[in-house]
C-alpha cells in the first residue's frame, strides 16, 4: 500500500499517541495538535481528508462515540513497515528479497563512504 508523506506523518502521530494506551480514542484534533507540536501545521480539514483516505485504504477505522468521531489503526508500525517493504520488493525487485537486500547493501555502502 502506497502512502504519501502526510499519511505517514499522521500514522506516526497516531502510533505515538497510542504507544502508552493502544485503546485510546484518537480524534482528528488529537492528530492536528500532535503534528503541530512536531512543527507540522496543517488545517483540521486537511487532516480529516487524509484520515478519511486512510479509512478508505483500511489503514484506519472510524467510529462514533456520542457526537464525535474517533479512529483506530488496523496495523501497528511494524505491520505497516512490513507491508510497505513487501510492496517495495514486489514493485522494484519482482518479489526477490535477496536481490532487494543486495541493492540495499550496495546503496548503504555507497552512502557510508561519502
Amino acid at each position: 500500500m502506497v502512502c504519501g508523506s502526510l499519511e505517514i506523518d499522521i500514522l506516526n502521530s497516531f502510533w505515538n499517541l497510542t504507544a502508552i494506551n493502544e485503546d485510546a480514542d484518537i480524534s482528528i484534533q488529537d492528530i492536528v495538535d500532535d503534528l503541530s507540536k512536531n512543527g507540522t501545521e496543517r488545517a483540521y480539514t486537511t487532516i480529516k481528508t487524509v484520515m478519511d483516505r486512510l479509512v478508505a485504504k483500511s489503514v484506519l477505522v472510524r467510529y462514533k462515540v456520542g457526537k464525535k468521531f474517533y479512529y483506530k489503526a488496523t496495523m501497528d508500525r511494524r505491520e505497516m513497515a512490513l507491508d510497505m517493504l513487501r510492496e517495495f520488493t514486489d514493485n522494484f525487485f519482482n518479489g526477490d528479497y535477496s536481490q532487494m537486500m543486495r541493492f540495499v547493501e550496495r546503496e548503504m555502502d555507497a552512502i557510508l563512504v561519502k
Side-chain angles (χ1 to χ4, degrees):
M1 160 181 335
V2 176
C3 286
S5 62
L6 184 52
E7 289 174 323
I8 296 296
D9 289 345
I10 288 170
L11 288 170
N12 278 319
S13 252
F14 195 95
W15 293 319
N16 291 338
L17 290 169
T18 57
I20 296 169
N21 177 7
E22 66 183 36
D23 293 325
D25 294 322
I26 304 297
S27 69
I28 295 166
Q29 191 61 54
D30 293 328
I31 299 296
V32 170
D33 294 344
D34 189 65
L35 288 173
S36 68
K37 283 192 299 189
N38 298 326
T40 305
E41 296 292 330
R42 297 291 182 157
Y44 180 96
T45 54
T46 300
I47 300 303
K48 180 185 181 320
T49 298
V50 175
M51 288 177 73
D52 287 343
R53 199 175 305 142
L54 289 168
V55 168
K57 291 180 176 183
S58 299
V59 176
L60 296 178
V61 292
R62 179 179 45 226
Y63 58 97
K64 194 171 185 179
V65 176
K67 293 183 178 183
K68 196 167 184 180
F69 284 99
Y70 295 97
Y71 296 79
K72 290 220 183 286
T74 61
M75 300 176 161
D76 63 24
R77 191 184 313 262
R78 180 183 175 279
E79 291 168 320
M80 177 63 91
L82 287 171
D83 186 66
M84 293 179 95
L85 183 59
R86 274 186 221 100
E87 186 170 335
F88 172 75
T89 303
D90 289 345
N91 288 336
F92 292 97
F93 302 99
N94 296 318
D96 185 340
Y97 285 93
S98 59
Q99 185 182 2
M100 184 270 299
M101 289 302 295
R102 284 191 300 276
F103 169 80
V104 169
E105 288 171 356
R106 279 193 312 271
E107 292 305 310
M108 289 306 297
D109 286 346
I111 290 169
L112 294 175
V113 169
K114 289 182 181 179

